[in-house]
């Protein structure tokens, strides 16, 4: 059996699994994927790998007693066995007071996230893409270390009420660090696409080379509050702490930056600059995503923050029923609207500031204010009178993305970026922020 099933093949398999069910309710989730990767370091390829994964999860329920079992063998005996196992576990389980039953059939938006260019990628395709990068770093007498991974796969689900969902998708991520031979200069770049043909490893490598050379001889600046220009890669690791904390229950229960005293929330309130709009849209051509969430709910275009105002929170079906509101699923992609400025425009308009390529080692300091700490890395530069003057030593920062988005000076054009913390892809603009707090220096490059 092929690892990547067509819609009709997935449907037939799921119908077969459901036919074995004797539970009050049954839901079956199916996943198949193939990944290929190429890793390189010190200008030499070190590993070439591939991964094949297929997995089937069966959830059976008797009343509010629920059990789940998984299997990765798809012969008839294994399929029947996994259904029986989930039923055994359900009978043994205590009642789950938050179980709300399986969904009725849903209407899904059309999202095109599967590209043949990525699906047909071979070890030779990856080798060609990496060779273009290596040629440039070798010619420049710099040291490159990078990782290229592409994926093709699908997910599908069906339940005993007749719901069926299927979504095929592809993705390619490329990340690269280029260092000077003495290790004193470092530059970083990351790219993510659904369509492999959009990946230009040579163009990306040239950026990392430029940053690597430019970051030699970094000077120490006093820690303090600075105007910063965050490249989208740097901004992503801060902003995703907002994206995935837009949960209604944690806000209602007083555990979130969206909580207020007395069990109230900031829904409907302006919490950031009015130029900030954050939304999800599974049909976005630059960032296509699954049109259904993990429990089968249909994804729609949702404005989470619109012109600085909190417009929506994510509700589980249980919490939505309890609160008497519409159940809005967590998003399958996140996009932040931007402006029209280029990175160069932002630098030219800056009298005194710091350009940040990358932030890493992000850790939470205070969930209630979303205060985070972390470090700059791989290319941090001092700007004076609209020009990059010299590289600066890396900083530790303490900053909240909420405070940061209230100190917004300018937004650029959104770009698809790969988070260095979660590996998720987003569409995020470069941004210029005033009074960004750097607390100490770091000797790492």
């Amino acid at each position: 059996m092929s690892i990547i099933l067509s819609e009709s093949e997935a449907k037939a398999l799921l119908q077969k699994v459901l036919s074995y069910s004797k539970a009050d309710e049954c839901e079956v989730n199916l996943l198949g994927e193939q990944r290929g990767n190429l890793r390189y370091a010190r200008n030499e390829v070190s590993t070439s790998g591939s991964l094949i994964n297929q997995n089937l999860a069966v959830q059976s329920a008797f009343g509010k007693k629920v059990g789940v079992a998984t299997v990765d063998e798809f012969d008839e005996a294994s399929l029947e066995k996994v259904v029986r196992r989930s039923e055994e576990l359900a009978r043994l389980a205590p009642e789950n007071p938050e179980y709300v039953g399986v969904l009725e059939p849903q209407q899904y938006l059309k999202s095109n996230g599967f590209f043949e260019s990525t699906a047909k990628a071979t070890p030779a395709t990856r080798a060609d893409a990496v060779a273009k990068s290596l040629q440039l770093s070798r010619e420049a007498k710099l040291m490159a270390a990078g990782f290229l991974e592409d994926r093709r796969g699908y997910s599908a689900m069906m339940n005993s009420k007749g719901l069926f969902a299927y979504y095929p998708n592809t993705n390619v991520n490329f990340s690269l660090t280029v260092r000077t031979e003495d290790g004193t200069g470092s530059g970083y770049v990351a790219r993510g696409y659904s369509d492999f043909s959009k990946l230009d490893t040579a163009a990306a490598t040239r950026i990392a080379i430029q940053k690597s050379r430019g970051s030699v001889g970094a000077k120490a600046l006093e820690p303090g509050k600075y105007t910063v220009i965050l490249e989208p890669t740097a901004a992503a690791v801060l902003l995703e702490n907002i994206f995935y904390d837009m949960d209604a229950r944690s806000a209602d229960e007083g555990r979130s930056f969206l909580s207020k005293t007395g069990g109230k929330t900031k829904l409907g309130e302006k919490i950031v600059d009015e130029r900030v709009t954050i939304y999800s849209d599974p049909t976005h051509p630059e960032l296509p995503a699954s049109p259904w969430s993990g429990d089968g709910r249909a994804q729609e275009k949702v404005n989470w923050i619109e012109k600085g105002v909190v417009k929506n929170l994510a509700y589980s079906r249980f919490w939505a029923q309890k609160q008497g509101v519409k159940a809005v699923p967590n998003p399958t992609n996140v996009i932040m609207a931007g402006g029209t400025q280029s990175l160069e425009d932002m630098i030219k308009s800056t009298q005194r500031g710091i350009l940040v390529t990358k932030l890493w080692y992000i850790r939470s300091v205070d969930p209630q204010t979303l205060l985070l700490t972390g470090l700059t890395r791989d290319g941090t530069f001092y700007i004076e009178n609209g020009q990059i003057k010299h590289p600066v030593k890396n900083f530790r920062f303490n900053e909240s993305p909420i405070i940061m988005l209230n100190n917004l000076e300018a937004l650029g054009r959104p770009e698809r970026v790969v988070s260095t913390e979660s590996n998720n892809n987003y569409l995020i603009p470069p941004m210029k922020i005033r009074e960004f707090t750097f607390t100490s220096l770091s000797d790492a490059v």
Side-chain angles (χ1 to χ4, degrees):
M1 186 179 82
S2 166
I3 302 300
I4 313 299
L5 299 186
S6 68
E7 186 166 354
S8 58
E9 289 169 333
K11 196 173 206 173
L13 178 63
L14 291 167
Q15 283 170 336
K16 181 190 286 185
V17 176
L18 278 171
S19 73
Y20 297 126
S21 173
K22 295 175 182 173
D24 295 343
E25 290 189 329
C26 185
E27 179 178 288
V28 189
N29 276 275
L30 183 59
L31 169 90
E33 64 173 357
Q34 287 180 282
R35 296 175 183 261
N37 65 68
L38 204 60
R39 188 185 298 276
Y40 56 112
R42 299 184 67 84
N43 288 344
E44 298 288 343
V45 170
S46 54
T47 59
S48 172
S50 67
L51 176 145
I52 292 172
N53 180 31
Q54 53 179 352
N55 183 275
L56 184 119
V58 180
Q59 174 185 283
S60 295
F62 295 95
K64 285 183 175 286
K65 293 158 73 74
V66 185
V68 178
T70 61
V71 72
D72 58 7
E73 294 176 298
F74 290 4
D75 59 276
E76 300 244 359
S78 299
L79 294 176
E80 183 168 11
K81 190 175 176 183
V82 75
V83 175
R84 296 285 89 81
R85 181 74 178 137
S86 71
E87 290 170 352
E88 285 170 29
L89 291 168
R91 287 192 176 98
L92 289 168
E95 284 204 347
N96 175 1
E98 298 189 7
Y99 181 69
V100 291
V102 297
L103 278 169
E104 303 282 348
Q106 306 280 301
Q107 285 291 312
Y108 299 117
L109 296 170
K110 185 78 179 149
S111 175
N112 300 313
F114 191 91
F115 289 81
E116 285 296 328
S117 62
T118 316
K120 288 179 175 172
T122 64
T125 315
R126 291 186 279 278
D128 286 346
V130 166
K132 288 171 185 165
S133 172
L134 284 172
Q135 183 183 347
L136 291 168
S137 58
R138 285 170 181 159
E139 285 172 357
K141 294 189 165 41
L142 299 167
M143 288 293 179
F147 187 62
L148 173 67
E149 181 178 53
D150 54 74
R151 175 194 179 277
R152 65 187 181 107
Y154 74 97
S155 51
M157 73 177 292
M158 187 181 280
N159 70 27
S160 50
K161 284 188 179 170
L163 178 144
F164 173 67
Y166 174 85
Y167 180 66
N169 66 316
T170 56
N171 194 69
V172 55
N173 282 356
F174 173 67
S175 60
L176 171 69
T177 303
V178 175
R179 292 206 164 177
T180 55
E181 284 188 302
D182 63 2
T184 62
S186 184
Y188 177 82
V189 69
R191 295 286 183 265
Y193 301 99
S194 302
D195 179 355
F196 202 120
S197 66
K198 288 186 175 179
L199 175 63
D200 186 340
T201 51
T205 303
R206 286 188 195 102
I207 292 168
I209 285 173
Q210 182 187 4
K211 295 200 173 206
S212 172
R213 284 174 165 160
S215 61
V216 174
K219 299 174 184 178
L221 278 188
E222 278 294 314
K225 289 186 181 288
Y226 287 88
T227 293
V228 297
I229 296 172
L230 297 177
E231 294 198 9
T233 306
V237 295
L238 301 180
L239 294 175
E240 66 185 351
N241 289 274
I242 297 175
F243 301 162
Y244 293 104
D245 207 6
M246 299 291 292
D247 173 62
R249 185 171 188 171
S250 59
D252 288 337
E253 292 181 342
R255 296 181 281 115
S256 148
F257 76 98
L258 292 167
S259 302
K260 286 170 68 176
T261 52
K264 294 187 171 63
T265 75
K266 294 177 184 173
L267 186 63
E269 291 187 14
K270 183 171 178 289
I271 63 164
V272 289
D273 188 285
E274 62 195 21
R275 286 167 288 180
V276 175
T277 293
I278 293 168
Y279 67 100
S280 54
D281 178 5
T283 68
H284 195 292
E286 291 299 311
L287 192 68
S290 175
W292 46 280
S293 64
D295 63 0
R297 278 182 284 170
Q299 290 283 349
E300 301 168 10
K301 181 175 177 181
V302 176
N303 280 340
W304 301 95
I305 296 174
E306 185 180 356
K307 295 183 178 173
V309 176
V310 181
K311 287 288 188 181
N312 280 288
L313 296 175
Y315 284 84
S316 68
R317 290 173 60 218
F318 166 77
W319 197 249
Q321 275 184 19
K322 190 175 169 68
Q323 302 295 86
V325 298
K326 181 184 173 184
V328 180
N330 282 306
T332 48
N333 70 359
V334 185
I335 300 138
M336 180 169 167
T340 55
Q341 291 193 24
S342 66
L343 203 60
E344 291 71 28
D345 293 334
M346 288 187 189
I347 292 167
K348 279 178 190 164
S349 67
T350 303
Q351 286 301 304
R352 183 171 178 268
I354 294 170
L355 173 67
V356 178
T357 297
K358 180 183 174 185
L359 297 172
W360 76 298
Y361 219 126
I362 311 300
R363 294 293 181 270
S364 174
V365 177
D366 178 13
Q368 296 274 305
T369 59
L370 275 195
L371 184 65
L372 305 169
T373 190
L375 299 148
T376 66
R377 190 166 185 175
D378 298 320
T380 310
F381 303 94
Y382 179 62
I383 303 163
E384 192 174 86
N385 298 326
Q387 291 184 319
I388 291 177
K389 291 298 267 191
H390 57 76
V392 293
K393 273 197 163 186
N394 284 308
F395 290 104
R396 172 170 288 282
F397 70 86
N398 269 35
E399 192 58 85
S400 161
I402 297 295
I403 293 169
M404 176 179 101
L405 291 179
N406 276 294
N407 289 335
L408 190 63
E409 294 263 303
L411 287 173
R413 287 185 288 271
E415 298 170 25
R416 183 159 167 172
V417 293
V418 184
S419 163
T420 54
E421 295 285 311
S422 66
N423 229 27
N424 291 332
N425 283 214
Y426 306 106
L427 277 177
I428 290 178
M431 52 190 70
K432 184 172 162 182
I433 308 289
R434 63 183 172 271
E435 296 187 2
F436 191 92
T437 308
F438 292 118
T439 53
S440 60
L441 294 176
S442 164
D443 279 330
V445 298

